[in-house]
Amino acid sequence: MYDYLKKRGIENNKFHLRLYNAELQGVDPLNPSKLTTRQKRMILEEMRVNPFYTLREIIRIEGPGGLARFQLHPGNLAIIWAILNSIDIIVLLPRQQGKTIAVAAILNWLYNFGTINTAMLFGNKSLKDAKNNLKRLKDITDFFPDYIKEAVFNIKNDVNNLESIASGSRNNRISVAGSPRSIPDADNLGRGMSIPIWWPDEIAFLKYNKIIYDAATPAISTASRIAEERGVPHAKILTTTPSNLDLDEGAFVKFLIDLSCTFIEEMYDWP
């Protein structure tokens, strides 16, 4: 990605390679038996302040043949950059391009390290799919080495079930929601979203998505304003595979896309 951005003339081309603590250069955080207690503390502090270190060095994704490193490409780098900068986004990518894992990975960092006193809601076209995205986020944590998990978890004060997780020490929580069954249900779902981070995956297939979005926007805007004042991340993260414009749900997402500015990589150089 450094080579890619450099060739495209982007001056801010290695922000994703940042390492704050130079003593960690060449240290393998996934080999606990060779780490000193001091090194483990330094790794945890680097993870707390450096999301890209966590993505590069810590996070592993389960796939065919076992665990693999998180792979960065132009699409998911843009997703991660936008979320870290509290920019609302609509992401339209084909299947198997890693958009869901990218969102799950960076929200995992936010939940476990990057923020406190934050609520997130994962939506989807079905409750089952919303639960699956929450499981993806939890699976990433499950693959952390034990010394990192011990710093993240508090068994007595945390919540961990199929539809929600909550951190007692950080006062963060994530819950899920499926597709509403009626227009009133959709309106109630939207009005209840006084949260700074909303991730409706496959929104172009989510029934009554316009009603949910229109009802949610005022509540989310208030939560986002408060989060901004407190320096807490906030974003509407709309992700989907391509839908059909003949469907109301697909036409509404196309309407939102047409209202949005198009991402360009020159934004990485903007103040």
Side-chain angles (χ1 to χ4, degrees), residues 4-32:
Y4 168 84
L5 293 175
K6 185 177 180 181
K7 288 174 182 177
R8 294 178 68 87
I10 306 302
E11 293 182 8
N12 185 25
N13 49 37
K14 49 190 175 184
F15 62 91
H16 51 285
L17 298 175
R18 183 176 293 121
L19 182 68
Y20 290 109
N21 188 337
E23 290 187 54
L24 291 176
Q25 182 68 42
V27 174
D28 181 3
L30 301 184
N31 191 356

mmCIF file of all heavy atoms in Angstrom, residues 4-32:
data_model
loop_
_atom_site.group_PDB
_atom_site.id
_atom_site.type_symbol
_atom_site.label_atom_id
_atom_site.label_comp_id
_atom_site.label_asym_id
_atom_site.label_seq_id
_atom_site.Cartn_x
_atom_site.Cartn_y
_atom_site.Cartn_z
ATOM 1 N N TYR A 4 1.888 1.653 -3.538
ATOM 2 C CA TYR A 4 0.708 2.041 -4.322
ATOM 3 C C TYR A 4 0.422 3.530 -4.168
ATOM 4 O O TYR A 4 0.235 4.251 -5.164
ATOM 5 C CB TYR A 4 -0.487 1.197 -3.872
ATOM 6 C CG TYR A 4 -1.829 1.674 -4.371
ATOM 7 C CD1 TYR A 4 -2.300 1.317 -5.632
ATOM 8 C CD2 TYR A 4 -2.644 2.485 -3.577
ATOM 9 C CE1 TYR A 4 -3.538 1.755 -6.090
ATOM 10 C CE2 TYR A 4 -3.880 2.919 -4.018
ATOM 11 C CZ TYR A 4 -4.322 2.556 -5.268
ATOM 12 O OH TYR A 4 -5.544 3.001 -5.713
ATOM 13 N N LEU A 5 0.381 4.020 -2.920
ATOM 14 C CA LEU A 5 0.078 5.426 -2.685
ATOM 15 C C LEU A 5 1.191 6.332 -3.186
ATOM 16 O O LEU A 5 0.936 7.414 -3.733
ATOM 17 C CB LEU A 5 -0.177 5.664 -1.194
ATOM 18 C CG LEU A 5 -1.433 5.005 -0.614
ATOM 19 C CD1 LEU A 5 -1.493 5.218 0.894
ATOM 20 C CD2 LEU A 5 -2.691 5.541 -1.276
ATOM 21 N N LYS A 6 2.434 5.915 -3.012
ATOM 22 C CA LYS A 6 3.566 6.720 -3.474
ATOM 23 C C LYS A 6 3.521 6.891 -4.986
ATOM 24 O O LYS A 6 3.734 7.997 -5.508
ATOM 25 C CB LYS A 6 4.879 6.063 -3.052
ATOM 26 C CG LYS A 6 6.112 6.898 -3.383
ATOM 27 C CD LYS A 6 7.383 6.233 -2.867
ATOM 28 C CE LYS A 6 8.601 7.088 -3.199
ATOM 29 N NZ LYS A 6 9.851 6.430 -2.724
ATOM 30 N N LYS A 7 3.228 5.810 -5.702
ATOM 31 C CA LYS A 7 3.158 5.879 -7.166
ATOM 32 C C LYS A 7 2.005 6.767 -7.634
ATOM 33 O O LYS A 7 2.060 7.335 -8.724
ATOM 34 C CB LYS A 7 3.001 4.477 -7.741
ATOM 35 C CG LYS A 7 4.269 3.632 -7.636
ATOM 36 C CD LYS A 7 4.029 2.202 -8.095
ATOM 37 C CE LYS A 7 5.290 1.362 -7.929
ATOM 38 N NZ LYS A 7 5.044 -0.052 -8.302
ATOM 39 N N ARG A 8 0.976 6.913 -6.807
ATOM 40 C CA ARG A 8 -0.158 7.765 -7.159
ATOM 41 C C ARG A 8 0.053 9.215 -6.727
ATOM 42 O O ARG A 8 -0.857 10.028 -6.854
ATOM 43 C CB ARG A 8 -1.439 7.202 -6.543
ATOM 44 C CG ARG A 8 -1.837 5.860 -7.141
ATOM 45 C CD ARG A 8 -3.078 5.284 -6.481
ATOM 46 N NE ARG A 8 -4.269 6.063 -6.786
ATOM 47 C CZ ARG A 8 -5.032 5.890 -7.855
ATOM 48 N NH1 ARG A 8 -4.681 4.958 -8.749
ATOM 49 N NH2 ARG A 8 -6.105 6.612 -8.048
ATOM 50 N N GLY A 9 1.238 9.516 -6.198
ATOM 51 C CA GLY A 9 1.566 10.892 -5.837
ATOM 52 C C GLY A 9 1.039 11.334 -4.495
ATOM 53 O O GLY A 9 1.000 12.537 -4.199
ATOM 54 N N ILE A 10 0.625 10.399 -3.634
ATOM 55 C CA ILE A 10 0.131 10.743 -2.307
ATOM 56 C C ILE A 10 1.325 10.925 -1.375
ATOM 57 O O ILE A 10 2.126 10.005 -1.189
ATOM 58 C CB ILE A 10 -0.808 9.646 -1.765
ATOM 59 C CG1 ILE A 10 -1.939 9.365 -2.771
ATOM 60 C CG2 ILE A 10 -1.366 10.045 -0.412
ATOM 61 C CD1 ILE A 10 -2.785 10.559 -3.126
ATOM 62 N N GLU A 11 1.452 12.105 -0.794
ATOM 63 C CA GLU A 11 2.591 12.369 0.096
ATOM 64 C C GLU A 11 2.434 11.656 1.435
ATOM 65 O O GLU A 11 3.420 11.171 2.009
ATOM 66 C CB GLU A 11 2.748 13.879 0.306
ATOM 67 C CG GLU A 11 3.152 14.632 -0.961
ATOM 68 C CD GLU A 11 3.346 16.114 -0.712
ATOM 69 O OE1 GLU A 11 3.306 16.521 0.469
ATOM 70 O OE2 GLU A 11 3.544 16.858 -1.688
ATOM 71 N N ASN A 12 1.231 11.614 1.957
ATOM 72 C CA ASN A 12 0.966 10.924 3.224
ATOM 73 C C ASN A 12 0.750 9.446 2.922
ATOM 74 O O ASN A 12 -0.350 8.905 3.044
ATOM 75 C CB ASN A 12 -0.267 11.530 3.898
ATOM 76 C CG ASN A 12 -0.525 10.945 5.271
ATOM 77 O OD1 ASN A 12 0.382 10.449 5.932
ATOM 78 N ND2 ASN A 12 -1.775 10.992 5.694
ATOM 79 N N ASN A 13 1.837 8.780 2.519
ATOM 80 C CA ASN A 13 1.723 7.444 1.945
ATOM 81 C C ASN A 13 2.127 6.310 2.879
ATOM 82 O O ASN A 13 2.100 5.148 2.484
ATOM 83 C CB ASN A 13 2.554 7.354 0.654
ATOM 84 C CG ASN A 13 3.974 7.877 0.842
ATOM 85 O OD1 ASN A 13 4.578 7.682 1.892
ATOM 86 N ND2 ASN A 13 4.502 8.542 -0.186
ATOM 87 N N LYS A 14 2.494 6.624 4.112
ATOM 88 C CA LYS A 14 2.909 5.557 5.016
ATOM 89 C C LYS A 14 2.340 5.720 6.426
ATOM 90 O O LYS A 14 2.923 5.234 7.397
ATOM 91 C CB LYS A 14 4.429 5.435 5.070
ATOM 92 C CG LYS A 14 5.185 6.725 5.297
ATOM 93 C CD LYS A 14 6.686 6.504 5.081
ATOM 94 C CE LYS A 14 7.440 7.822 5.191
ATOM 95 N NZ LYS A 14 8.867 7.646 4.889
ATOM 96 N N PHE A 15 1.200 6.399 6.521
ATOM 97 C CA PHE A 15 0.587 6.562 7.840
ATOM 98 C C PHE A 15 0.182 5.217 8.430
ATOM 99 O O PHE A 15 0.130 5.056 9.649
ATOM 100 C CB PHE A 15 -0.624 7.504 7.768
ATOM 101 C CG PHE A 15 -1.754 7.032 6.885
ATOM 102 C CD1 PHE A 15 -2.783 6.263 7.393
ATOM 103 C CD2 PHE A 15 -1.788 7.385 5.539
ATOM 104 C CE1 PHE A 15 -3.831 5.835 6.588
ATOM 105 C CE2 PHE A 15 -2.833 6.965 4.721
ATOM 106 C CZ PHE A 15 -3.856 6.182 5.251
ATOM 107 N N HIS A 16 -0.092 4.238 7.578
ATOM 108 C CA HIS A 16 -0.493 2.913 8.040
ATOM 109 C C HIS A 16 0.707 2.074 8.490
ATOM 110 O O HIS A 16 0.527 0.946 8.967
ATOM 111 C CB HIS A 16 -1.246 2.187 6.928
ATOM 112 C CG HIS A 16 -0.527 2.180 5.621
ATOM 113 N ND1 HIS A 16 -0.456 3.288 4.812
ATOM 114 C CD2 HIS A 16 0.178 1.211 4.988
ATOM 115 C CE1 HIS A 16 0.248 3.003 3.735
ATOM 116 N NE2 HIS A 16 0.646 1.758 3.825
ATOM 117 N N LEU A 17 1.925 2.615 8.351
ATOM 118 C CA LEU A 17 3.135 1.915 8.802
ATOM 119 C C LEU A 17 3.688 2.502 10.089
ATOM 120 O O LEU A 17 4.774 2.112 10.538
ATOM 121 C CB LEU A 17 4.213 1.991 7.707
ATOM 122 C CG LEU A 17 3.847 1.313 6.379
ATOM 123 C CD1 LEU A 17 4.942 1.555 5.344
ATOM 124 C CD2 LEU A 17 3.632 -0.172 6.580
ATOM 125 N N ARG A 18 2.952 3.428 10.689
ATOM 126 C CA ARG A 18 3.445 4.142 11.865
ATOM 127 C C ARG A 18 3.742 3.181 13.015
ATOM 128 O O ARG A 18 3.019 2.218 13.265
ATOM 129 C CB ARG A 18 2.404 5.177 12.287
ATOM 130 C CG ARG A 18 2.803 6.043 13.466
ATOM 131 C CD ARG A 18 1.758 7.104 13.747
ATOM 132 N NE ARG A 18 1.679 8.077 12.662
ATOM 133 C CZ ARG A 18 0.581 8.330 11.961
ATOM 134 N NH1 ARG A 18 -0.539 7.670 12.235
ATOM 135 N NH2 ARG A 18 0.590 9.230 11.008
ATOM 136 N N LEU A 19 4.841 3.467 13.746
ATOM 137 C CA LEU A 19 5.185 2.769 14.983
ATOM 138 C C LEU A 19 5.670 3.825 15.964
ATOM 139 O O LEU A 19 6.677 4.477 15.731
ATOM 140 C CB LEU A 19 6.276 1.729 14.739
ATOM 141 C CG LEU A 19 6.685 0.892 15.950
ATOM 142 C CD1 LEU A 19 5.557 -0.037 16.385
ATOM 143 C CD2 LEU A 19 7.944 0.074 15.646
ATOM 144 N N TYR A 20 4.942 4.007 17.050
ATOM 145 C CA TYR A 20 5.296 5.054 18.007
ATOM 146 C C TYR A 20 6.482 4.659 18.881
ATOM 147 O O TYR A 20 7.334 5.479 19.183
ATOM 148 C CB TYR A 20 4.090 5.397 18.891
ATOM 149 C CG TYR A 20 2.990 6.110 18.150
ATOM 150 C CD1 TYR A 20 1.788 5.459 17.864
ATOM 151 C CD2 TYR A 20 3.142 7.431 17.727
ATOM 152 C CE1 TYR A 20 0.766 6.112 17.170
ATOM 153 C CE2 TYR A 20 2.127 8.087 17.041
ATOM 154 C CZ TYR A 20 0.950 7.418 16.768
ATOM 155 O OH TYR A 20 -0.059 8.054 16.079
ATOM 156 N N ASN A 21 6.525 3.420 19.299
ATOM 157 C CA ASN A 21 7.599 2.952 20.171
ATOM 158 C C ASN A 21 8.618 2.181 19.342
ATOM 159 O O ASN A 21 8.404 1.024 18.972
ATOM 160 C CB ASN A 21 7.030 2.060 21.281
ATOM 161 C CG ASN A 21 8.063 1.711 22.334
ATOM 162 O OD1 ASN A 21 9.268 1.741 22.078
ATOM 163 N ND2 ASN A 21 7.610 1.364 23.521
ATOM 164 N N ALA A 22 9.767 2.817 19.071
ATOM 165 C CA ALA A 22 10.780 2.203 18.211
ATOM 166 C C ALA A 22 11.355 0.927 18.809
ATOM 167 O O ALA A 22 11.894 0.081 18.076
ATOM 168 C CB ALA A 22 11.905 3.208 17.951
ATOM 169 N N GLU A 23 11.226 0.749 20.108
ATOM 170 C CA GLU A 23 11.740 -0.472 20.738
ATOM 171 C C GLU A 23 10.974 -1.714 20.293
ATOM 172 O O GLU A 23 11.463 -2.841 20.463
ATOM 173 C CB GLU A 23 11.677 -0.349 22.259
ATOM 174 C CG GLU A 23 12.653 0.635 22.862
ATOM 175 C CD GLU A 23 12.636 0.576 24.378
ATOM 176 O OE1 GLU A 23 12.822 -0.537 24.921
ATOM 177 O OE2 GLU A 23 12.427 1.629 25.015
ATOM 178 N N LEU A 24 9.804 -1.525 19.719
ATOM 179 C CA LEU A 24 9.010 -2.662 19.270
ATOM 180 C C LEU A 24 9.359 -3.099 17.853
ATOM 181 O O LEU A 24 8.814 -4.101 17.371
ATOM 182 C CB LEU A 24 7.518 -2.323 19.349
ATOM 183 C CG LEU A 24 6.946 -2.170 20.764
ATOM 184 C CD1 LEU A 24 5.493 -1.735 20.708
ATOM 185 C CD2 LEU A 24 7.081 -3.473 21.542
ATOM 186 N N GLN A 25 10.236 -2.367 17.180
ATOM 187 C CA GLN A 25 10.656 -2.764 15.830
ATOM 188 C C GLN A 25 11.306 -4.147 15.904
ATOM 189 O O GLN A 25 12.256 -4.368 16.651
ATOM 190 C CB GLN A 25 11.647 -1.754 15.262
ATOM 191 C CG GLN A 25 12.096 -2.049 13.839
ATOM 192 C CD GLN A 25 10.974 -1.866 12.833
ATOM 193 O OE1 GLN A 25 10.208 -0.919 12.922
ATOM 194 N NE2 GLN A 25 10.880 -2.777 11.884
ATOM 195 N N GLY A 26 10.778 -5.096 15.144
ATOM 196 C CA GLY A 26 11.343 -6.443 15.116
ATOM 197 C C GLY A 26 10.879 -7.351 16.239
ATOM 198 O O GLY A 26 11.282 -8.518 16.290
ATOM 199 N N VAL A 27 10.038 -6.850 17.137
ATOM 200 C CA VAL A 27 9.515 -7.664 18.233
ATOM 201 C C VAL A 27 8.223 -8.345 17.779
ATOM 202 O O VAL A 27 7.313 -7.684 17.267
ATOM 203 C CB VAL A 27 9.249 -6.801 19.489
ATOM 204 C CG1 VAL A 27 8.564 -7.632 20.572
ATOM 205 C CG2 VAL A 27 10.545 -6.198 19.999
ATOM 206 N N ASP A 28 8.141 -9.654 17.954
ATOM 207 C CA ASP A 28 6.957 -10.406 17.552
ATOM 208 C C ASP A 28 5.964 -10.451 18.715
ATOM 209 O O ASP A 28 6.182 -11.183 19.679
ATOM 210 C CB ASP A 28 7.342 -11.825 17.140
ATOM 211 C CG ASP A 28 6.144 -12.650 16.677
ATOM 212 O OD1 ASP A 28 5.014 -12.094 16.629
ATOM 213 O OD2 ASP A 28 6.320 -13.844 16.379
ATOM 214 N N PRO A 29 4.868 -9.715 18.639
ATOM 215 C CA PRO A 29 3.905 -9.698 19.759
ATOM 216 C C PRO A 29 3.094 -10.976 19.874
ATOM 217 O O PRO A 29 2.388 -11.168 20.867
ATOM 218 C CB PRO A 29 3.009 -8.504 19.416
ATOM 219 C CG PRO A 29 3.060 -8.419 17.928
ATOM 220 C CD PRO A 29 4.447 -8.840 17.534
ATOM 221 N N LEU A 30 3.183 -11.845 18.871
ATOM 222 C CA LEU A 30 2.408 -13.089 18.891
ATOM 223 C C LEU A 30 3.233 -14.276 19.378
ATOM 224 O O LEU A 30 2.807 -15.428 19.243
ATOM 225 C CB LEU A 30 1.842 -13.378 17.490
ATOM 226 C CG LEU A 30 0.931 -12.299 16.893
ATOM 227 C CD1 LEU A 30 0.367 -12.754 15.563
ATOM 228 C CD2 LEU A 30 -0.194 -11.932 17.849
ATOM 229 N N ASN A 31 4.384 -13.985 19.942
ATOM 230 C CA ASN A 31 5.235 -15.044 20.496
ATOM 231 C C ASN A 31 5.488 -14.740 21.973
ATOM 232 O O ASN A 31 6.583 -14.326 22.363
ATOM 233 C CB ASN A 31 6.557 -15.122 19.726
ATOM 234 C CG ASN A 31 7.365 -16.359 20.080
ATOM 235 O OD1 ASN A 31 6.980 -17.140 20.953
ATOM 236 N ND2 ASN A 31 8.490 -16.542 19.413
ATOM 237 N N PRO A 32 4.451 -14.911 22.809
ATOM 238 C CA PRO A 32 4.536 -14.469 24.210
ATOM 239 C C PRO A 32 5.680 -15.082 24.999
ATOM 240 O O PRO A 32 6.210 -14.459 25.918
ATOM 241 C CB PRO A 32 3.186 -14.902 24.794
ATOM 242 C CG PRO A 32 2.289 -15.072 23.615
ATOM 243 C CD PRO A 32 3.156 -15.517 22.496
#
